Each structure stands twice: as C-alpha cells, then as structure tokens.
C-alpha cells in the first residue's frame, strides 16, 4: 500500500510538472530538445532566389555540449562548391554572457572572431542568421502563450517572444518571433520572424523530426526558411546524422578551423 501511494504521488508530481509549464519553460525545453551530447552529420544547403535560380552547397556539421551540459558548441565546415569550400564557422554558446563566434575564410587564410552584432548577419548568404544557427537564449526574451492548436497533425503551443530590451533587438535584428512548439517533444516546428521595424520578415519550418538518442532528444532532418520580403529561400537537409559520436573537444577550438584546409 505504501508503495502504491508513493507511485500515485510521483505520478501526480509528473503530471503537474508537464502540465504546469510556463511559456518560458516551454521555450527552454525547445532550446534543449536537440542538445545531444555530441553529433556529426552531412548536410545539403540549397539557396533559391525569387526567379528560381539555385545554388547548392555541401557541408559537415559537428556539435558537442560543453562540460556544463547546457551550452552547445557547433562547427560547420563547407565542402563545396569551390567558391565556399574550406569556409568554417565555430559557434559556442556562453550562458550569462555573449556567445563566441569565429569564422575561417580560406581566401584570407585567417580565422576571425565575430562580435555580438554579427548575430544579425546572414549565415553565409542563407536566410538564417548567425543568431538563428547558434540559437536564441530564452532568457533574452519575454514569452507569452498565445494559444494552443494543431500544426501538421501535431498539437502545439504557439508562443510569442519579444526582446527584453533594445540591446537584444539590436544584436539579434528581430522585433518579434512567434514559435509553434510541439507539445510532445518540444521541437520548434515553425517560427515566424519580424524585422526591427515590425514588418513580417521570414518563416522557418522544420520536418522529419526524429528521436536521436536514448535521452529523449529530437532533431529535425529538413528545414526550410523563406524570406517574405524578397522571396529568397533556404533549404537545409541532413543527408546523414548520428548522435553520441564521442567527438574530441579539441575539434571545437578556433585553432581547429584551419585544419585540413
């Protein structure tokens, strides 16, 4: 009987934890949903302009959690075509301070550290910014639950996020975000962005979301970002993806960016 009561108490605690999520907690879970211990994958990036002309790029992605188990490190190395081959970026989250960002440009044969304002810049000509790639810190935004609905047969929370202050808006370049978060796995399935002037800017949607480890993490395999102002579009597709690859921490140091160049 005592064991039964304990199980009931634990069940009630779990239920309350799941169903008492605040908008901030939902966005925190969305931020953590894909943060596996480490990962490696091959990707195809397709850029399309309003006339339908396309550029296709191949790249390798590696991620690794820092020892704190919270902040993520990400290396993106471009393999082709020739005009971007050898370009490498290193993005490192830093809780409570500015994130670290580096880029290696083979034409200059030099690794350059980026500043916080670069977060608003386009990531190598795509419709994603450096800030989108490194991730937006939930604590930098005020979050409001607008409604609950169904998106592509998935129950979702619809969360509005506004910059906490003008400095966040200036560094990130967005006046507002609205995110559709999967209720079950907390993946951000869709995000609408508004520019600094409050005009609709772009929509990012992901699909083919898969469970990728035994710890309850999920990763999309396909992403589409469309700029509402100029018709430009970016498609990012994982051709392969594996988590828990026991990657060396040295691969996430600025000195590594020039390796194999």
């Amino acid at each position: 009987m005592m064991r039964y009561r304990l199980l009931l108490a634990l069940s009630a605690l779990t239920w309350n934890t799941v169903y008492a999520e605040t908008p901030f907690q939902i966005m925190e879970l969305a931020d953590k949903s894909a943060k596996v211990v480490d990962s490696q994958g091959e990707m195809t990036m397709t850029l399309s302009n309003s006339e339908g002309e396309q550029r296709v790029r191949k790249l390798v992605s590696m991620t690794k959690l820092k020892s704190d188990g919270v902040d993520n490190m990400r290396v993106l190395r471009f393999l082709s075509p020739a005009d971007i081959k050898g370009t490498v970026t290193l993005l490192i989250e830093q809780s409570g301070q500015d994130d670290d960002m580096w880029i290696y440009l083979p034409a200059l044969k030099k690794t350059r550290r980026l500043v916080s304002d670069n977060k608003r810049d386009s990531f190598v000509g795509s419709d994603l910014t450096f800030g989108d790639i490194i991730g937006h810190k939930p604590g930098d935004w005020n979050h409001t639950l607008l409604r609950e609905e169904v998106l592509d047969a998935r129950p979702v929370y619809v969360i509005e996020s506004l910059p906490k202050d003008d400095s966040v808006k200036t560094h990130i370049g967005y006046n507002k975000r609205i995110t559709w978060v999967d209720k079950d796995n907390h993946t951000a399935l869709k995000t609408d962005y508004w520019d600094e002037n409050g005009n609709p800017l772009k929509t990012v949607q992901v699909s083919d979301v898969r469970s990728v480890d035994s710890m309850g993490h999920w990763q999309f395999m396909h992403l589409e970002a469309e700029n509402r102002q100029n018709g430009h579009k970016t498609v990012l597709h994982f051709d392969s993806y594996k988590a828990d690859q026991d990657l060396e921490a040295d691969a996430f140091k600025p000195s590594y960016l020039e390796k194999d160049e």
Side-chain angles (χ1 to χ4, degrees):
M1 180 63 70
M2 182 63 69
R3 183 181 179 185
Y4 177 73
R5 289 178 178 175
L6 178 59
L7 288 173
L8 284 179
L10 289 174
S11 297
L13 178 61
T14 301
W15 190 93
N16 287 333
T17 300
V18 170
Y19 289 93
E21 292 172 352
T22 67
F24 174 74
Q25 289 171 333
I26 292 170
M27 295 306 290
E28 270 199 320
L29 290 168
D31 180 60
K32 296 174 181 176
S33 65
K35 287 185 175 179
V36 295
V37 172
D38 63 27
S39 71
Q40 187 164 0
E42 297 181 356
M43 311 173 79
T44 298
M45 176 186 285
T46 305
L47 308 178
S48 307
N49 63 22
S50 58
E51 284 74 42
E53 299 170 329
Q54 293 188 341
R55 291 175 290 161
V56 179
R57 298 167 170 179
K58 296 287 186 177
L59 61 153
V60 171
S61 167
M62 298 190 302
T63 71
K64 188 177 182 68
L65 277 181
K66 293 167 63 177
S67 58
D68 62 8
V70 176
D71 292 332
N72 207 31
M73 304 183 289
R74 183 183 302 273
V75 170
L76 292 162
R77 181 180 297 271
F78 286 85
L79 306 178
S80 66
D83 63 345
I84 199 172
K85 181 180 179 181
T87 299
V88 192
T89 61
L90 170 62
L91 309 174
I92 301 179
E93 289 182 302
Q94 301 280 14
S95 294
Q97 56 183 306
D98 286 340
D99 298 322
D100 289 332
M101 303 182 293
W102 287 268
I103 186 168
Y104 174 72
L105 299 172
L108 301 178
K109 296 189 179 298
K110 184 178 181 180
T111 298
R112 180 168 66 93
R113 185 168 188 167
L114 304 177
V115 298
S116 58
D117 283 351
N118 288 123
K119 281 188 175 182
R120 59 184 295 145
D121 294 342
S122 167
F123 178 73
V124 292
S126 74
D127 296 287
L128 302 171
T129 65
F130 279 88
D132 296 335
I133 298 293
I134 200 170
H136 301 292
K137 296 179 181 178
D140 287 343
W141 305 76
N142 292 317
H143 308 285
T144 303
L145 176 62
L146 298 181
R147 60 188 180 274
E148 300 177 23
E149 61 185 32
V150 175
L151 175 68
D152 297 331
R154 302 291 298 179
V156 295
Y157 301 106
V158 184
I159 307 289
E160 179 186 69
S161 302
L162 303 177
K164 276 197 169 179
D165 53 49
D166 288 340
S167 66
V168 173
K169 182 170 69 173
T170 298
H171 290 324
I172 299 300
Y174 300 134
N175 182 64
K176 180 173 70 172
R177 295 182 296 136
I178 293 183
T179 308
W180 283 254
V181 180
D182 191 303
K183 285 187 177 183
D184 294 328
N185 58 41
H186 293 96
T187 299
L189 299 177
K190 175 183 174 181
T191 306
D192 284 343
Y193 296 80
W194 281 255
D195 65 20
E196 281 188 280
N197 296 319
N199 301 312
L201 176 60
K202 66 183 178 185
T203 296
V204 177
Q205 288 189 266
V206 304
S207 57
D208 192 8
V209 179
R210 304 179 188 178
S211 174
V212 291
D213 66 10
S214 61
M215 303 297 291
H217 294 102
W218 297 76
Q219 174 63 51
F220 66 80
M221 297 295 145
H222 189 84
L223 176 150
E224 296 188 12
E226 184 173 1
N227 189 303
R228 300 297 185 186
Q229 298 180 358
N230 59 24
H232 198 274
K233 186 175 180 180
T234 298
V235 174
L236 198 58
H237 183 79
F238 274 100
D239 302 308
S240 65
Y241 177 93
K242 291 183 179 180
D244 300 335
Q245 296 298 289
D246 197 24
L247 300 178
E248 295 291 336
D250 285 348
F252 299 89
K253 294 181 179 179
S255 57
Y256 182 85
L257 303 192
E258 302 175 20
K259 187 177 181 181
D260 298 327
E261 192 277 308

